[in-house]
């Protein structure tokens, strides 16, 4: 039985590797003629409170800004969220992200989102944890320059892998772990007036669990952006993301 599971996992891992490589090639081909490229820094502080091991209350506070290339902008964000663990394979998620963004000298926006989604654990009992996250967002964006609200919908799809490096369990202290994922942002209605509406992200990074309460993550994100779903990708972002997670209980 063990060898059969290992064989199945090996096949799944090889398939996923080929798929990710194909996606990178396709997107790379789509941005070969891109004209803009920049570097960004994101800094996050995430507060978590768990109840009876099935309920999670969370708020992520973040500051995002341009470091080099392009026109200067910055964004301040708060993402309060609630998660419910339905069973070992499924989490149900809802959140109301709030965001203020200075998008240019004459443009700043305030955005409110209502999000519902689910995190699906494909391999909850295996050490390499493969997960799939689907989210549907209703977005309200206020443009201060023209005193106008835009409303739109967006789907976000993410496939991710988390792997503990120096420990056998996700629940041990002093544990290093690997993070890798790819995510698609797809607008399903008229695009909101913003820097870019549709995106594809590839992320890779490491995390360190000092103890139950404190975790640290450093992630590199390669992000391709375009104005509408029919356009070619016209921007490439190199993002360094530093995240601190704290569990109150």
């Amino acid at each position: 039985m063990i060898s059969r599971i290992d064989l199945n996992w090996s096949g799944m891992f090889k398939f996923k590797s080929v798929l990710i490589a194909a996606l990178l090639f396709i997107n790379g081909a789509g941005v070969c003629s891109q004209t803009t490229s920049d570097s960004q820094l994101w800094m996050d502080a995430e507060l978590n409170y768990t109840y009876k091991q099935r309920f999670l209350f969370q708020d992520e506070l973040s500051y995002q800004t341009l470091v080099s290339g392009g026109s200067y902008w910055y964004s301040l964000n708060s993402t309060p969220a609630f998660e419910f663990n339905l069973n070992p394979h499924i989490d149900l998620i809802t959140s109301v992200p709030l965001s203020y963004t200075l998008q240019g000298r004459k443009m700043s926006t305030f955005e409110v989102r209502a999000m519902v989604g689910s995190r699906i654990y494909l391999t909850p009992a295996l050490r390499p944890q493969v997960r799939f996250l689907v989210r549907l967002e209703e977005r309200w964006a206020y443009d201060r320059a023209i005193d106008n609200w835009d409303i739109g919908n967006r789907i976000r799809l993410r496939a991710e892998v988390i792997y503990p490096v120096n420990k056998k369990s996700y629940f041990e202290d002093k544990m290093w772990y690997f993070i890798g994922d790819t995510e698609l942002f797809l607008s399903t209605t008229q695009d909101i007036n913003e820097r870019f509406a549709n995106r594809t992200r590839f992320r890779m990074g490491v995390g360190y669990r000092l103890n139950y309460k404190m975790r640290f993550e450093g992630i590199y994100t390669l992000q391709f952006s375009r104005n509408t779903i029919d356009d070619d990708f016209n921007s490439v972002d190199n993002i360094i993301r530093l995240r601190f997670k704290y569990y109150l209980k």
Side-chain angles (χ1 to χ4, degrees):
M1 179 63 71
I2 293 177
S3 60
R4 184 175 181 179
I5 292 175
D6 290 342
L7 181 61
N8 291 341
W9 167 249
S10 176
M12 181 187 299
F13 184 80
K14 290 179 180 179
F15 173 77
K16 183 176 179 63
S17 299
V18 172
L19 179 60
I20 291 176
L23 288 172
L24 282 169
F25 176 80
I26 292 172
N27 282 282
V31 298
C32 61
S33 61
Q34 60 84 25
T35 58
T36 63
S37 178
D38 64 35
S39 299
Q40 302 175 21
L41 175 65
W42 296 7
M43 294 183 289
D44 306 338
E46 185 178 290
L47 302 177
N48 299 273
Y49 179 85
T50 58
Y51 179 70
K52 293 187 176 181
Q53 303 300 316
R54 301 195 70 179
F55 302 91
L56 173 66
F57 302 90
Q58 179 187 91
D59 191 14
E60 180 182 88
L61 306 174
S62 70
Y63 171 74
Q64 304 170 4
T65 189
L66 184 75
V67 176
S68 64
S71 301
Y72 178 74
W73 61 267
Y74 70 84
S75 180
L76 303 173
N77 308 274
S78 175
T79 308
F82 170 75
E83 297 186 14
F84 172 66
N85 178 239
L86 187 63
N87 58 50
H89 288 275
I90 299 176
D91 288 341
L92 302 179
I93 307 170
T94 183
S95 72
V96 184
L98 308 172
S99 177
Y100 169 79
T101 304
L102 178 67
Q103 305 204 44
R105 292 183 178 180
K106 298 182 180 180
M107 182 178 181
S108 62
T109 59
F110 175 73
E111 182 177 335
V112 181
R113 283 176 275 163
M115 185 277 288
V116 293
S118 178
R119 182 182 295 108
I120 302 170
Y121 297 83
L122 302 181
T123 58
L126 296 179
R127 185 176 177 186
Q129 197 170 94
V130 180
R131 311 187 301 197
F132 184 73
L133 180 63
V134 56
R135 289 176 282 186
L136 174 62
E137 297 178 331
E138 177 85 10
R139 309 172 64 203
W140 297 273
Y142 175 69
D143 188 336
R144 296 179 60 191
I146 59 176
D147 189 23
N148 180 66
W149 284 91
D150 285 334
I151 301 175
N153 294 325
R154 181 170 68 185
I155 295 175
R156 296 175 61 172
L157 304 173
R158 180 194 296 174
E160 56 188 5
V161 176
I162 299 180
Y163 183 81
V165 177
N166 63 326
K167 302 289 183 179
K168 295 182 179 181
S169 169
Y170 291 95
F171 307 104
E172 297 184 56
D173 294 339
K174 298 181 180 180
M175 177 193 67
W176 290 93
Y177 54 95
F178 165 81
I179 305 166
D181 65 51
T182 180
E183 184 172 18
L184 304 178
F185 295 66
L186 302 173
S187 294
T188 58
T189 58
Q190 180 178 356
D191 294 324
I192 291 176
N193 184 23
E194 57 185 332
R195 292 177 63 250
F196 297 106
N198 298 273
R199 289 170 170 161
T200 300
R201 286 178 182 168
F202 296 94
R203 302 194 308 167
M204 183 175 295
V206 295
Y208 180 71
R209 170 180 162 140
L210 178 63
N211 51 44
Y212 172 78
K213 289 190 173 183
M214 292 188 289
R215 297 139 200 224
F216 307 86
E217 293 179 355
I219 301 172
Y220 168 73
T221 301
L222 179 62
Q223 176 174 269
F224 302 123
S225 303
R226 53 188 172 184
N227 292 323
T228 70
I229 195 66
D230 297 322
D231 292 338
D232 292 331
F233 290 109
N234 52 11
S235 175
V236 179
D237 306 315
N238 297 280
I239 304 168
I240 298 298
R241 187 171 191 175
L242 306 177
R243 174 184 287 171
F244 170 65
K245 296 183 178 182
Y246 186 81
Y247 285 74
L248 301 171
K249 182 179 179 181

